[in-house]
Amino acid sequence: PRPDLRLAAVRKLSRAGLHAGVSCSPVIPLVNDFELSLDALAQAAARAGAKRFWWNILFLKPCAKQVFLPFIEEHFPKLARRYQERYGRGAYLRGAYPDLIKERMERIRKRYGLFSARRPEPELWPKSAQLALFG
């Protein structure tokens, strides 16, 4: 669905008392990874009532690479060589770039008081002596 419809769903879920979140995925190098854009998304998520905000950097498994790299060549020709070089070695980016994005996203997430996707699971069953058998 369109982004406005997704945020409307977050708003509705939040108003119903659910802890809704927004995934900023994939973060596409040099396409949508600019701080201003990511910040705007986090701000919109927070305004819609999101409690969580997480991200994942683009990864390209072989089948996705066959489709995505031609898309980059067509729509972002100046980036094509860089994508070939970086994703030619594997599906996942390594090195300084993931660290840079992690720092950027953590800073943005904290700016709006959003939690990461990882949070403790709620306790579903009361603690009892019987459950200690499985400990």
Side-chain angles (χ1 to χ4, degrees):
R2 299 182 329 237
D4 61 323
L5 295 176
R6 291 174 188 230
L7 289 172
V10 169
R11 192 173 294 106
K12 190 172 184 178
L13 291 168
S14 286
R15 287 181 180 157
L18 298 171
H19 286 263
V22 170
S23 173
C24 179
S25 298
V27 173
I28 304 171
L30 303 172
V31 174
N32 71 351
D33 64 349
F34 301 100
E35 185 151 356
L36 193 60
S37 298
L38 298 171
D39 185 273
L41 177 59
Q43 184 179 43
R47 283 184 178 161
K51 301 290 184 225
R52 293 176 283 143
F53 185 73
W54 64 98
W55 57 90
N56 195 26
I57 296 171
L58 176 73
F59 62 90
L60 294 175
K61 299 280 182 144
C63 59
K65 192 184 300 188
Q66 291 175 357
V67 175
F68 191 78
L69 292 182
F71 169 83
I72 289 293
E73 288 174 13
E74 181 180 343
H75 297 283
F76 301 94
K78 292 180 180 179
L79 301 178
R81 182 182 55 78
R82 294 170 86 176
Y83 269 79
Q84 289 287 352
E85 290 170 356
R86 281 149 182 93
Y87 285 100
R89 295 177 241 154
Y92 299 90
L93 293 180
R94 307 261 187 258
Y97 181 79
D99 293 338
L100 171 93
I101 295 301
K102 181 180 179 184
E103 290 171 14
R104 180 176 295 165
M105 295 300 271
E106 287 294 327
R107 188 171 54 247
I108 291 169
R109 185 180 61 75
K110 288 177 183 174
R111 187 177 299 143
Y112 297 103
L114 297 165
F115 299 101
S116 69
R118 293 179 187 89
R119 50 179 258 184
E121 291 294 321
E123 186 175 318
L124 300 176
W125 311 106
K127 294 196 187 285
S128 71
Q130 186 176 10
L131 290 177
L133 294 171
F134 300 102

